[in-house]
Amino acid sequence: MRIGVNTRLFVKGKMDGIAWVAYEILKRIVTQHPEHEFVFFFDRPYNPYFIFAPNVKPVVVRPQARHPFLWFLFFETGIKKALRKENIDLFISPDGWVCLGTNVKTINVIHDLNFEHYPSFFSPLIRKYYTYFFPRFARKADHIITVSQFSKNDIVNRYHVDAKKISVVYNAASEDFFEIDEQEKQRTIQRLTNGVPYFVFVGSAHKRKNVERIMQAFDQFRQKYADFKFVFAGSNKYWDKDIKETYHQLKHKSDIVFTEYLSTTEMNYVVSSALALVYPSLFEGFGIPIVEGFAAHVPVITSNVTSMPEVAGEAALLVNPMSVTEIANAMEKIVMDELLRTKLIQLGEERNRAFSWDKSAQQFWDVILEFYNPI
């Protein structure tokens, strides 16, 4: 089989969550199945780091797809032509976009429909593009893979797609996440916060991640408890005017630390050394930081909405993400109840065993075989 893959998000040093999911699964599938050929379609000069094995052929497709108009041209002209030229049997798109103008069988990976639920978080042009094209991408795909039962139900209900056309393949934590030893924890805490215990949030400070309420909750918590800090482990490039205003109004903003971009190895040190991972996002298709917290052996505070209860099970403190007080109270419970903290770490370790990239890659491959070679 000759399998074409949309790898336009494989840009070293600029990988987001969707790109890492594709990376973890594809590197396993490619290396485990040398009997098949894989053609990776990049939208710019590629890094050899992403050519996982000799059975991968890299192809650069134009134009670079980083704008709605260019997205359209990349898939409807560049990819369409490349699929034909490379004689592709099956096209896999890990980021939700597909080519509408091809007859090549297509598996589309749609992680979530957050733009349908929170359209105001997107610029008008991008919002219009998503809401117009993604229903068409979902219907065009011969099969869809998504990352939670919640997302599957959402796609079925929103886009009226047959549930039999959708398979669920969970995400997992990177192998770089594990508990570090106590000396390393103390060195990390000293380096980040001058030895002060801290809570941590992982991810880009996007509006959907509920950054404003997280900061307000820490400010509320900090009024009662001195000598604690909060670390935002990720970029703040998505900050809008509202987030900036919220930050500047905080009484204890000097106790908030920003790390900017971190490698997964560095991120593990930061997470594993924290009092707890605080991740009360407004909307997630899966929520990889939850299982990263489990793998790093820290308690997790997350939301009681969308996919997060499905992923966390009984292993996290679930809060209403719209309630600043509930988030603050959860932080207080972590600090005041050592038995609860220990229990959550144990439950998180157990829950994390349900997720692994090896398992996810195998399930993904099983879908490919079942779909492409139906009995």
Side-chain angles (χ1 to χ4, degrees):
M1 186 166 25
R2 192 164 172 83
I3 301 172
V5 186
N6 160 27
T7 53
R8 70 187 180 96
L9 297 185
F10 282 5
V11 182
K12 199 148 197 277
K14 298 181 180 180
M15 304 269 280
D16 64 6
I18 290 177
W20 279 115
V21 171
Y23 171 87
E24 294 286 359
I25 288 178
L26 286 170
K27 75 175 180 179
R28 286 167 170 81
I29 287 178
V30 164
T31 55
Q32 291 169 7
H33 297 282
E35 71 277 16
H36 296 285
E37 297 177 282
F38 295 83
V39 181
F40 282 8
F41 297 121
F42 298 87
D43 73 342
R44 63 194 63 207
Y46 58 88
N47 191 308
Y49 174 79
F50 299 115
I51 311 307
F52 304 127
N55 57 330
V56 173
K57 177 183 178 180
V59 172
V60 176
V61 176
R62 299 297 185 186
Q64 290 189 6
R66 292 299 187 272
H67 182 279
F69 296 120
L70 299 179
W71 293 338
F72 181 84
L73 292 174
F74 177 77
F75 285 98
E76 298 307 320
T77 60
I79 288 293
K80 180 179 178 179
K81 180 179 178 181
L83 292 173
R84 184 171 58 250
K85 181 179 179 181
E86 295 296 332
N87 196 26
I88 298 300
D89 298 309
L90 174 67
F91 179 53
I92 297 173
S93 186
D95 62 12
W97 278 257
V98 300
C99 176
L100 297 174
T102 184
N103 292 322
V104 174
K105 287 190 175 294
T106 299
I107 294 178
N108 191 12
V109 182
I110 299 177
H111 289 252
D112 62 63
L113 304 180
N114 68 85
F115 51 87
E116 298 281 10
H117 297 266
Y118 289 94
S120 64
F121 292 172
F122 297 83
S123 69
L125 180 59
I126 290 177
R127 179 171 67 242
K128 185 174 182 179
Y129 184 97
Y130 284 172
T131 55
Y132 179 82
F133 278 105
F134 264 75
R136 288 161 174 78
F137 294 157
R139 290 191 287 268
K140 170 64 177 178
D142 295 281
H143 199 79
I144 295 170
I145 291 176
T146 193
V147 295
S148 64
Q149 190 62 45
F150 165 79
S151 279
K152 176 176 179 175
N153 294 340
D154 201 22
I155 295 167
V156 169
N157 295 330
R158 285 262 171 178
Y159 294 160
H160 308 294
V161 174
D162 187 345
K164 294 178 183 178
K165 181 179 168 177
I166 306 175
S167 299
V168 174
V169 176
Y170 283 131
N171 294 333
S174 166
E175 294 173 351
D176 289 337
F177 283 86
F178 54 87
E179 183 179 22
I180 62 176
D181 64 44
E182 193 59 36
Q183 286 186 331
E184 290 291 352
K185 289 182 183 179
Q186 292 307 315
R187 279 195 283 268
T188 301
I189 295 169
Q190 186 63 42
R191 174 172 56 84
L192 277 176
T193 61
N194 292 320
V196 178
Y198 64 85
F199 295 92
V200 66
F201 165 86
V202 171
S204 298
H206 191 281
K207 195 101 171 169
R208 176 168 62 94
K209 302 299 183 179
N210 210 19
V211 174
E212 291 170 74
R213 292 185 185 88
I214 293 172
M215 291 192 293
Q216 290 168 338
F218 174 70
D219 211 41
Q220 184 173 312
F221 164 86
R222 181 63 181 75
Q223 291 181 46
K224 292 179 66 175
Y225 298 94
D227 299 325
F228 291 94
K229 290 186 182 290
F230 200 105
V231 173
F232 278 87
S235 172
N236 61 359
K237 69 177 182 178
Y238 294 112
W239 277 29
D240 63 8
K241 182 180 69 173
D242 293 337
I243 296 176
K244 291 176 182 177
E245 287 181 358
T246 297
Y247 172 73
H248 288 297
Q249 290 170 2
L250 299 176
K251 293 180 181 179
H252 302 284
K253 58 179 171 288
S254 61
D255 290 318
I256 297 179
V257 177
F258 300 95
T259 68
E260 290 299 323
Y261 176 82
L262 297 174
S263 69
T264 53
T265 300
E266 294 168 326
M267 190 74 79
N268 179 57
Y269 274 68
V270 174
V271 173
S272 187
S273 304
L275 283 167
L277 173 74
V278 183
Y279 196 75
S281 177
L282 295 175
F283 192 100
E284 294 292 330
F286 183 86
I288 290 178
I290 297 170
V291 291
E292 290 174 342
F294 293 161
H297 289 206
V298 297
V300 173
I301 298 168
T302 192
S303 300
N304 61 5
V305 298
T306 66
S307 68
M308 288 166 278
E310 177 183 346
V311 173
E314 302 295 321
L317 287 182
L318 300 181
V319 298
N320 175 2
M322 306 300 289
S323 172
V324 170
T325 297
E326 278 197 36
I327 302 169
N329 288 345
M331 293 185 201
E332 182 175 357
K333 288 178 183 178
I334 294 296
V335 168
M336 299 301 295
D337 192 337
E338 183 63 31
L339 288 177
L340 173 63
R341 177 177 162 80
T342 300
K343 179 182 178 182
L344 288 173
I345 292 172
Q346 292 172 344
L347 290 173
E349 183 180 6
E350 294 171 9
R351 180 61 178 157
N352 189 51
R353 296 192 189 109
F355 310 103
S356 81
W357 286 121
D358 287 341
K359 183 188 299 185
S360 299
Q362 184 58 55
Q363 290 172 342
F364 200 110
W365 184 250
D366 289 344
V367 169
I368 291 173
L369 292 184
E370 182 179 358
F371 161 71
Y372 193 72
N373 298 305
I375 297 174

